[in-house]
mmCIF file with all atom_site columns, all heavy atoms in Angstrom:
data_model
loop_
_atom_site.group_PDB
_atom_site.id
_atom_site.type_symbol
_atom_site.label_atom_id
_atom_site.label_alt_id
_atom_site.label_comp_id
_atom_site.label_asym_id
_atom_site.label_entity_id
_atom_site.label_seq_id
_atom_site.pdbx_PDB_ins_code
_atom_site.Cartn_x
_atom_site.Cartn_y
_atom_site.Cartn_z
_atom_site.occupancy
_atom_site.B_iso_or_equiv
_atom_site.pdbx_formal_charge
_atom_site.auth_seq_id
_atom_site.auth_comp_id
_atom_site.auth_asym_id
_atom_site.auth_atom_id
_atom_site.pdbx_PDB_model_num
ATOM 1  N N   . LEU C 1 21 ? 7.615  57.755 43.624 1.00 68.00 ? 482 LEU C N   1
ATOM 2  C CA  . LEU C 1 21 ? 8.006  58.801 42.772 1.00 68.00 ? 482 LEU C CA  1
ATOM 3  C C   . LEU C 1 21 ? 9.067  58.282 41.751 1.00 68.00 ? 482 LEU C C   1
ATOM 4  O O   . LEU C 1 21 ? 9.894  57.476 42.124 1.00 68.00 ? 482 LEU C O   1
ATOM 5  C CB  . LEU C 1 21 ? 8.607  59.986 43.539 1.00 68.00 ? 482 LEU C CB  1
ATOM 6  C CG  . LEU C 1 21 ? 7.587  60.705 44.482 1.00 68.00 ? 482 LEU C CG  1
ATOM 7  C CD1 . LEU C 1 21 ? 8.341  61.754 45.231 1.00 68.00 ? 482 LEU C CD1 1
ATOM 8  C CD2 . LEU C 1 21 ? 6.480  61.292 43.738 1.00 68.00 ? 482 LEU C CD2 1
ATOM 9  N N   . PRO C 1 22 ? 8.968  58.741 40.494 1.00 75.00 ? 483 PRO C N   1
ATOM 10 C CA  . PRO C 1 22 ? 9.932  58.231 39.535 1.00 75.00 ? 483 PRO C CA  1
ATOM 11 C C   . PRO C 1 22 ? 11.366 58.680 39.863 1.00 75.00 ? 483 PRO C C   1
ATOM 12 O O   . PRO C 1 22 ? 11.553 59.821 40.353 1.00 75.00 ? 483 PRO C O   1
ATOM 13 C CB  . PRO C 1 22 ? 9.473  58.867 38.212 1.00 75.00 ? 483 PRO C CB  1
ATOM 14 C CG  . PRO C 1 22 ? 8.653  59.966 38.574 1.00 75.00 ? 483 PRO C CG  1
ATOM 15 C CD  . PRO C 1 22 ? 8.062  59.714 39.977 1.00 75.00 ? 483 PRO C CD  1
ATOM 16 N N   . GLU C 1 23 ? 12.308 57.809 39.675 1.00 83.00 ? 484 GLU C N   1
ATOM 17 C CA  . GLU C 1 23 ? 13.736 58.191 39.859 1.00 83.00 ? 484 GLU C CA  1
ATOM 18 C C   . GLU C 1 23 ? 14.187 59.048 38.704 1.00 83.00 ? 484 GLU C C   1
ATOM 19 O O   . GLU C 1 23 ? 13.715 58.950 37.616 1.00 83.00 ? 484 GLU C O   1
ATOM 20 C CB  . GLU C 1 23 ? 14.585 56.970 39.921 1.00 83.00 ? 484 GLU C CB  1
ATOM 21 C CG  . GLU C 1 23 ? 14.375 56.153 41.202 1.00 83.00 ? 484 GLU C CG  1
ATOM 22 C CD  . GLU C 1 23 ? 15.321 55.010 41.335 1.00 83.00 ? 484 GLU C CD  1
ATOM 23 O OE1 . GLU C 1 23 ? 16.501 55.138 40.862 1.00 83.00 ? 484 GLU C OE1 1
ATOM 24 O OE2 . GLU C 1 23 ? 14.937 53.962 41.830 1.00 83.00 ? 484 GLU C OE2 1
ATOM 25 N N   . ARG C 1 24 ? 15.134 59.927 38.990 1.00 83.00 ? 485 ARG C N   1
ATOM 26 C CA  . ARG C 1 24 ? 15.681 60.774 37.929 1.00 83.00 ? 485 ARG C CA  1
ATOM 27 C C   . ARG C 1 24 ? 16.548 59.882 37.016 1.00 83.00 ? 485 ARG C C   1
ATOM 28 O O   . ARG C 1 24 ? 17.319 59.052 37.528 1.00 83.00 ? 485 ARG C O   1
ATOM 29 C CB  . ARG C 1 24 ? 16.638 61.837 38.537 1.00 83.00 ? 485 ARG C CB  1
ATOM 30 C CG  . ARG C 1 24 ? 15.852 62.891 39.325 1.00 83.00 ? 485 ARG C CG  1
ATOM 31 C CD  . ARG C 1 24 ? 16.760 63.887 39.873 1.00 83.00 ? 485 ARG C CD  1
ATOM 32 N NE  . ARG C 1 24 ? 16.953 64.877 38.797 1.00 83.00 ? 485 ARG C NE  1
ATOM 33 C CZ  . ARG C 1 24 ? 17.685 65.954 38.895 1.00 83.00 ? 485 ARG C CZ  1
ATOM 34 N NH1 . ARG C 1 24 ? 18.359 66.164 40.009 1.00 83.00 ? 485 ARG C NH1 1
ATOM 35 N NH2 . ARG C 1 24 ? 17.779 66.762 37.874 1.00 83.00 ? 485 ARG C NH2 1
ATOM 36 N N   . PRO C 1 25 ? 16.392 60.057 35.700 1.00 81.00 ? 486 PRO C N   1
ATOM 37 C CA  . PRO C 1 25 ? 17.173 59.218 34.821 1.00 81.00 ? 486 PRO C CA  1
ATOM 38 C C   . PRO C 1 25 ? 18.657 59.579 34.907 1.00 81.00 ? 486 PRO C C   1
ATOM 39 O O   . PRO C 1 25 ? 18.980 60.731 35.224 1.00 81.00 ? 486 PRO C O   1
ATOM 40 C CB  . PRO C 1 25 ? 16.651 59.562 33.435 1.00 81.00 ? 486 PRO C CB  1
ATOM 41 C CG  . PRO C 1 25 ? 15.923 60.831 33.616 1.00 81.00 ? 486 PRO C CG  1
ATOM 42 C CD  . PRO C 1 25 ? 15.487 60.911 35.024 1.00 81.00 ? 486 PRO C CD  1
ATOM 43 N N   . PRO C 1 26 ? 19.540 58.603 34.694 1.00 85.00 ? 487 PRO C N   1
ATOM 44 C CA  . PRO C 1 26 ? 20.941 58.940 34.782 1.00 85.00 ? 487 PRO C CA  1
ATOM 45 C C   . PRO C 1 26 ? 21.369 59.973 33.778 1.00 85.00 ? 487 PRO C C   1
ATOM 46 O O   . PRO C 1 26 ? 20.816 59.935 32.645 1.00 85.00 ? 487 PRO C O   1
ATOM 47 C CB  . PRO C 1 26 ? 21.654 57.597 34.588 1.00 85.00 ? 487 PRO C CB  1
ATOM 48 C CG  . PRO C 1 26 ? 20.633 56.668 34.015 1.00 85.00 ? 487 PRO C CG  1
ATOM 49 C CD  . PRO C 1 26 ? 19.298 57.261 34.340 1.00 85.00 ? 487 PRO C CD  1
ATOM 50 N N   . GLN C 1 27 ? 22.272 60.811 34.097 1.00 89.00 ? 488 GLN C N   1
ATOM 51 C CA  . GLN C 1 27 ? 22.768 61.816 33.129 1.00 89.00 ? 488 GLN C CA  1
ATOM 52 C C   . GLN C 1 27 ? 23.805 61.135 32.202 1.00 89.00 ? 488 GLN C C   1
ATOM 53 O O   . GLN C 1 27 ? 24.560 60.311 32.615 1.00 89.00 ? 488 GLN C O   1
ATOM 54 C CB  . GLN C 1 27 ? 23.487 62.927 33.874 1.00 89.00 ? 488 GLN C CB  1
ATOM 55 C CG  . GLN C 1 27 ? 22.568 63.790 34.742 1.00 89.00 ? 488 GLN C CG  1
ATOM 56 C CD  . GLN C 1 27 ? 21.539 64.475 33.882 1.00 89.00 ? 488 GLN C CD  1
ATOM 57 O OE1 . GLN C 1 27 ? 21.843 65.168 32.897 1.00 89.00 ? 488 GLN C OE1 1
ATOM 58 N NE2 . GLN C 1 27 ? 20.247 64.379 34.233 1.00 89.00 ? 488 GLN C NE2 1
ATOM 59 N N   . PRO C 1 28 ? 23.761 61.484 30.924 1.00 91.00 ? 489 PRO C N   1
ATOM 60 C CA  . PRO C 1 28 ? 24.674 60.925 29.925 1.00 91.00 ? 489 PRO C CA  1
ATOM 61 C C   . PRO C 1 28 ? 26.153 61.242 30.289 1.00 91.00 ? 489 PRO C C   1
ATOM 62 O O   . PRO C 1 28 ? 26.412 62.332 30.803 1.00 91.00 ? 489 PRO C O   1
ATOM 63 C CB  . PRO C 1 28 ? 24.349 61.559 28.639 1.00 91.00 ? 489 PRO C CB  1
ATOM 64 C CG  . PRO C 1 28 ? 22.947 62.089 28.804 1.00 91.00 ? 489 PRO C CG  1
ATOM 65 C CD  . PRO C 1 28 ? 22.822 62.410 30.277 1.00 91.00 ? 489 PRO C CD  1
ATOM 66 N N   . ALA C 1 29 ? 27.020 60.277 30.117 1.00 95.00 ? 490 ALA C N   1
ATOM 67 C CA  . ALA C 1 29 ? 28.445 60.506 30.273 1.00 95.00 ? 490 ALA C CA  1
ATOM 68 C C   . ALA C 1 29 ? 28.936 61.403 29.145 1.00 95.00 ? 490 ALA C C   1
ATOM 69 O O   . ALA C 1 29 ? 28.476 61.328 28.034 1.00 95.00 ? 490 ALA C O   1
ATOM 70 C CB  . ALA C 1 29 ? 29.162 59.175 30.246 1.00 95.00 ? 490 ALA C CB  1
ATOM 71 N N   . GLN C 1 30 ? 29.886 62.308 29.478 1.00 97.00 ? 491 GLN C N   1
ATOM 72 C CA  . GLN C 1 30 ? 30.406 63.248 28.522 1.00 97.00 ? 491 GLN C CA  1
ATOM 73 C C   . GLN C 1 30 ? 31.790 62.845 28.131 1.00 97.00 ? 491 GLN C C   1
ATOM 74 O O   . GLN C 1 30 ? 32.632 62.604 28.941 1.00 97.00 ? 491 GLN C O   1
ATOM 75 C CB  . GLN C 1 30 ? 30.480 64.671 29.192 1.00 97.00 ? 491 GLN C CB  1
ATOM 76 C CG  . GLN C 1 30 ? 29.096 65.182 29.647 1.00 97.00 ? 491 GLN C CG  1
ATOM 77 C CD  . GLN C 1 30 ? 28.408 65.896 28.521 1.00 97.00 ? 491 GLN C CD  1
ATOM 78 O OE1 . GLN C 1 30 ? 29.013 66.773 27.863 1.00 97.00 ? 491 GLN C OE1 1
ATOM 79 N NE2 . GLN C 1 30 ? 27.199 65.538 28.219 1.00 97.00 ? 491 GLN C NE2 1
ATOM 80 N N   . HIS C 1 31 ? 32.086 62.710 26.818 1.00 97.00 ? 492 HIS C N   1
ATOM 81 C CA  . HIS C 1 31 ? 33.368 62.263 26.345 1.00 97.00 ? 492 HIS C CA  1
ATOM 82 C C   . HIS C 1 31 ? 34.044 63.264 25.406 1.00 97.00 ? 492 HIS C C   1
ATOM 83 O O   . HIS C 1 31 ? 33.335 64.059 24.731 1.00 97.00 ? 492 HIS C O   1
ATOM 84 C CB  . HIS C 1 31 ? 33.153 60.946 25.496 1.00 97.00 ? 492 HIS C CB  1
ATOM 85 C CG  . HIS C 1 31 ? 32.514 59.855 26.232 1.00 97.00 ? 492 HIS C CG  1
ATOM 86 N ND1 . HIS C 1 31 ? 33.206 59.106 27.177 1.00 97.00 ? 492 HIS C ND1 1
ATOM 87 C CD2 . HIS C 1 31 ? 31.232 59.408 26.330 1.00 97.00 ? 492 HIS C CD2 1
ATOM 88 C CE1 . HIS C 1 31 ? 32.360 58.216 27.742 1.00 97.00 ? 492 HIS C CE1 1
ATOM 89 N NE2 . HIS C 1 31 ? 31.186 58.379 27.181 1.00 97.00 ? 492 HIS C NE2 1
ATOM 90 N N   . ASP C 1 32 ? 35.331 63.201 25.306 1.00 96.00 ? 493 ASP C N   1
ATOM 91 C CA  . ASP C 1 32 ? 36.120 63.907 24.280 1.00 96.00 ? 493 ASP C CA  1
ATOM 92 C C   . ASP C 1 32 ? 37.169 62.952 23.817 1.00 96.00 ? 493 ASP C C   1
ATOM 93 O O   . ASP C 1 32 ? 37.069 61.733 24.075 1.00 96.00 ? 493 ASP C O   1
ATOM 94 C CB  . ASP C 1 32 ? 36.689 65.217 24.843 1.00 96.00 ? 493 ASP C CB  1
ATOM 95 C CG  . ASP C 1 32 ? 37.663 65.038 25.988 1.00 96.00 ? 493 ASP C CG  1
ATOM 96 O OD1 . ASP C 1 32 ? 38.135 63.859 26.246 1.00 96.00 ? 493 ASP C OD1 1
ATOM 97 O OD2 . ASP C 1 32 ? 37.990 66.027 26.659 1.00 96.00 ? 493 ASP C OD2 1
#
Side-chain angles (χ1 to χ4, degrees):
L482 296 175
E484 290 187 32
R485 293 182 83 179
Q488 293 297 310
Q491 299 273 307
H492 303 281
D493 62 15

